[in-house]
Amino acid sequence: MKISIQFEDGSFKEPTKIVAVGRNYHEHIKEMHSEKTESPVLFIKPTTALCDINQTLKIPENMGLVHHEIELAICISDLCRNVSAEQVPGFIAGYGLALDLTLRDVQAEAKKKGLPWAVAKGFDGSCPVSVFKKKDLQQVQNLDLSLKLNGIQKQSGNTSQMIFSIPELISYISGIYTLLPGDIILTGTPSGVGPLNAGDSIEAEIKNLVSVKTIVEHHGSA
Ligand code: MG
């Protein structure tokens, strides 16, 4: 099974992992009644979480609420280990839009018990991604993010509101996980997260980067 992500020039990359960042926007920390942390909160999604956001999204049934989290996604270009924030721009292949789909009830239970988030964050199809595009770092540090559900605005924010900037994040992550070409970083979500249901339509946009429309179904439905 080969898993790849696509660039707008038609080229592909094969990620070995997705490293996601939690609690990177103040308003989202507030809505989750979470607390700001001194270093970025990291978790991993397996590559089998990846799917094409332009295809119907298949969400689990009978596992409680599935929340949408719109995020700027970054694709790594070269092996990246212990890089400084200043070096980070040289290790980015491109940018895209991702949804960090989250089993919120499962996650809440895990948090309560002090258990990992692997199920809540890593299930099959939990990381729909758009096409990736080459941009300069400064072009993506002030972009509006927007997610509409059935035509109603749910999430909005701007990448400039990140608590840890893109260079800070990748520098920090590269000190923990060696990043390989194709690996994907999810940079956190702004506020307005909420549940998805079968039949929902999603319009998600990172302005001046990419906009997508998709619909939601349960796993197992035709
Ligand atoms: Mg997230």
Side-chain angles (χ1 to χ4, degrees):
M1 186 175 182
K2 269 196 180 169
I3 291 170
S4 60
I5 56 156
Q6 198 178 354
F7 276 73
E8 64 177 336
D9 64 3
S11 64
F12 291 87
K13 285 202 185 293
E14 291 175 11
T16 69
K17 59 187 164 297
I18 301 152
V19 183
V21 177
R23 304 185 190 176
N24 204 25
Y25 287 80
H26 287 290
E27 293 302 312
H28 177 60
I29 292 175
K30 266 194 222 165
E31 74 180 346
M32 297 302 296
H33 307 291
S34 297
E35 278 175 24
K36 203 179 150 198
T37 53
E38 273 178 36
S39 349
V41 176
L42 303 184
F43 56 92
I44 297 263
K45 287 177 185 264
T47 54
T48 43
L50 287 167
C51 60
D52 179 356
I53 201 166
N54 296 296
Q55 304 290 316
T56 299
L57 304 186
K58 302 275 191 175
I59 61 169
E61 205 173 357
N62 306 323
M63 292 188 79
L65 296 177
V66 182
H67 272 197
H68 55 77
E69 297 188 358
I70 185 176
E71 310 205 0
L72 176 70
I74 302 170
C75 180
I76 297 296
S77 59
D78 298 284
L79 188 147
C80 179
R81 178 190 295 143
N82 279 326
V83 298
S84 67
E86 293 70 35
Q87 292 171 309
V88 161
F91 292 89
I92 296 176
Y95 301 87
L97 184 159
L99 297 181
D100 168 18
L101 298 183
T102 304
L103 287 165
R104 193 66 77 198
D105 295 333
V106 173
Q107 187 195 34
E109 198 60 27
K111 281 181 177 173
K112 224 189 289 172
K113 294 179 178 166
L115 294 170
W117 299 356
V119 174
K121 290 289 197 178
F123 59 91
D124 281 359
S126 61
C127 191
V129 291
S130 71
V131 69
F132 282 72
K133 300 183 178 180
K134 290 183 172 49
K135 294 274 180 194
D136 290 334
L137 179 59
Q138 64 267 29
Q139 290 178 293
V140 302
Q141 288 179 306
N142 187 9
L143 297 181
D144 289 328
L145 303 118
S146 158
L147 184 140
K148 288 181 186 170
L149 193 61
N150 303 318
I152 297 164
Q153 189 80 44
K154 294 289 183 183
Q155 290 196 262
S156 60
N158 187 287
T159 56
S160 65
Q161 297 162 338
M162 287 182 195
I163 294 170
F164 297 101
S165 69
I166 292 168
E168 288 169 339
L169 286 177
I170 294 179
S171 172
Y172 177 75
I173 292 168
S174 77
I176 296 165
Y177 305 113
T178 297
L179 297 169
L180 297 176
D183 283 356
I184 294 170
I185 311 295
L186 303 187
T187 54
T189 195
S191 61
V193 302
L196 295 173
N197 290 293
D200 282 347
S201 69
I202 296 174
E203 293 165 72
E205 181 181 36
I206 300 178
K207 214 168 181 183
N208 297 326
L209 182 68
V210 64
S211 73
V212 296
K213 280 183 188 180
T214 192
I215 54 169
V216 179
E217 275 181 9
H218 283 136
H219 272 301
S221 46

